[in-house]
Amino acid sequence: MPSLLHFDIKNNVLLHSYQGRLTDTLLVKGYAHADKYVASHPPSRIITDFSDVTSVEVSSHTVRTLAATPPNLPVGFERVLVVPQNALYGVARMFQILVENNRPDLTIVRSMEEAYRLLGIKSAEFNLIDPQDFVEDQPA
């Protein structure tokens, strides 16, 4: 699985986290994975956490391609990227610049603590989402 999704019902926040080696393919698959969930369960806010990414192999072409896709949440819904690594921070900033007109609510922070503060979350209770709960093309 390219990424994991967790949901906090109390704070109505989707947590989308990546782990290990981040490649173009894994980033695109993870983005699509989160989009499928959001389409069927729209949260009010999304935190995408890259804290556990150990290496980054993402091209600028992939970042531009993802930036050109329609946003998964309408304007007014906060999106936070947690990016502690310097190399990945540059990639995240590139994405932020490319989407500033259609995703003005995107903020990049360095830690989950900053994300919680920004979103006004005092305590979170994230539960893992089973992909079978929302994947449309599952076997009958």
Side-chain angles (χ1 to χ4, degrees), residues 27-53:
L27 184 61
V28 169
K29 284 183 180 178
Y31 197 88
H33 183 72
D35 270 357
K36 282 184 182 179
Y37 183 79
V38 169
S40 60
H41 303 83
S44 63
R45 303 170 294 178
I46 297 177
I47 299 173
T48 304
D49 183 16
F50 295 98
S51 297
D52 293 329
V53 168

Side-chain angles (χ1 to χ4, degrees), residues 83-94:
V83 188
Q85 310 87 334
N86 289 334
L88 189 52
Y89 188 85
V91 174
R93 278 290 295 135
M94 181 176 142

Side-chain angles (χ1 to χ4, degrees), residues 26-82:
L26 294 176
L27 184 61
V28 169
K29 284 183 180 178
Y31 197 88
H33 183 72
D35 270 357
K36 282 184 182 179
Y37 183 79
V38 169
S40 60
H41 303 83
S44 63
R45 303 170 294 178
I46 297 177
I47 299 173
T48 304
D49 183 16
F50 295 98
S51 297
D52 293 329
V53 168
T54 56
S55 66
V56 181
E57 299 167 27
V58 175
S59 70
S60 60
H61 172 75
T62 296
V63 174
R64 285 191 303 274
T65 300
L66 288 175
T69 63
N72 52 12
L73 291 175
V75 171
F77 291 83
E78 295 170 294
R79 303 161 177 85
V80 180
L81 303 180
V82 178

